[in-house]
Amino acid sequence: MKSFEIEFHLINEEVPTYMVEADTRYEALESIFQAFRHASDGFVQFEDELIVMLDHVAYVKAFEVVE
């Protein structure tokens, strides 16, 4: 498993980030997509401090973390 940093580019130009473990960049983005897909109330909570409003997300990027 690799670590990927997910950037949520919001319409107000903020860029909160979230770390996810996955085998590939595609799988990392797929896990975020699935979280969005199952959000029935308009937002996704990834951690206690990161809540993303779906209609505020312009796009999402994933970067592999290389140590």
Side-chain angles (χ1 to χ4, degrees):
M1 291 283 240
K2 301 175 185 175
S3 295
F4 291 88
E5 182 177 61
I6 308 296
E7 292 182 350
F8 299 93
H9 292 259
L10 307 181
I11 58 175
N12 66 358
E13 299 184 5
E14 289 182 35
V15 185
T17 61
Y18 179 68
M19 296 293 289
V20 64
E21 296 288 323
D23 289 323
T24 65
R25 182 176 171 270
Y26 175 83
E27 287 178 7
L29 288 170
E30 180 68 17
S31 70
I32 299 302
F33 171 75
Q34 291 300 326
F36 283 178
R37 189 169 160 229
H38 296 305
S40 58
D41 52 4
F43 70 91
V44 177
Q45 183 168 352
F46 291 102
E47 298 174 349
D48 290 339
E49 67 273 2
L50 178 59
I51 298 174
V52 178
M53 301 297 291
L54 296 182
D55 59 352
H56 292 180
V57 177
Y59 58 95
V60 177
K61 287 185 175 180
F63 298 95
E64 183 177 346
V65 176
V66 180
E67 296 178 8

